[in-house]
Each structure stands twice: as structure tokens, then as C-alpha cells.
Amino acid sequence: MKIKKNDQVLIISGKDRGRHGKVLDVFPESGKVVVEGANIRKKHVKPKKSGEKGQIVEMPASFSISNVKLICSKCGKPTRVGHKLIEGKKYRICKKCGQEI
Ligand SMILES: [Zn+2]
């Protein structure tokens, strides 16, 4: 996966296009991500006890990883991710500035 948890990403399509956010979760099997503040769904929570009111909780729902672009932590630009091997270890690099991310 090119995107990891806690990465900063830019949303490039959908209703939250142009929004930046932190990746809260990545689901490699389904190719989906959850981004802070993006794709907000309202969830109704039922009252636990009788007499209590139900609540509406807003939480971000997952969406396709192809809708986000990684923001390089070094140059701050949305970028594509490259990889390079150094002494057998794989590193992610920014295609814009060439630095490790
Ligand atoms: Zn960069």
C-alpha cells in the first residue's frame, strides 16, 4: 500500500474534493481508506437505557484509496509515491522532491 495510517492526504475526487486530512485507517484488502473529516456519515446510536435519547454521531466512512493523493511531508505537495531500495529495505519517496517520506 502506498498510503499508510497517519499520512496526510489530499482528496482528489468525490464530494470532499480538495480537502486535506489525516489517514485514520487503511484497509488493504478492499483498497479503502478512512480520512479524518472526509466522507462523513451520520450514524444513529440507539439509547442504551429506556428514557435516554438516541444520538446522531458523525463519523468518517471509508472510500476508495484511488480518491486520495499523498501529501509529501517534506515538500508539502500532493505527489505520487515512488519506492527505492536501500540496503534491502524499501523506502517510499516523493516523486516531486525525491525525498524519503
Ligand atoms: Zn516531496
Side-chain angles (χ1 to χ4, degrees):
M1 288 297 267
K2 287 180 175 176
I3 305 280
K4 290 180 185 164
K5 210 168 165 175
N6 295 324
D7 278 345
Q8 284 291 328
V9 292
L10 170 70
I11 294 157
I12 53 171
S13 68
K15 67 182 168 77
D16 290 306
R17 189 153 58 120
R19 187 191 278 270
H20 292 202
K22 191 172 84 173
V23 176
L24 300 178
D25 231 330
V26 180
F27 304 101
E29 316 81 54
S30 52
K32 288 188 165 182
V33 285
V34 177
V35 178
E36 195 174 50
N39 200 21
I40 294 295
R41 292 287 154 85
K42 287 190 174 125
K43 198 178 162 189
H44 294 260
V45 179
K46 283 183 182 164
K48 292 187 187 83
K49 287 181 246 165
S50 62
E52 262 183 14
K53 273 187 181 172
Q55 280 186 311
I56 297 170
V57 180
E58 291 189 349
M59 53 191 301
S62 66
F63 56 92
S64 172
I65 203 161
S66 62
N67 289 350
V68 301
K69 219 169 177 187
L70 184 69
I71 295 173
C72 172
S73 56
K74 297 282 160 57
C75 65
K77 288 176 186 154
T79 184
R80 287 194 299 137
V81 181
H83 286 104
K84 69 175 174 187
L85 279 168
I86 304 170
E87 293 167 0
K89 255 190 106 180
K90 211 170 174 186
Y91 292 92
R92 294 190 308 174
I93 55 161
C94 168
K95 292 235 178 177
K96 286 251 165 74
C97 65
Q99 293 197 76
E100 211 181 281
I101 23 179

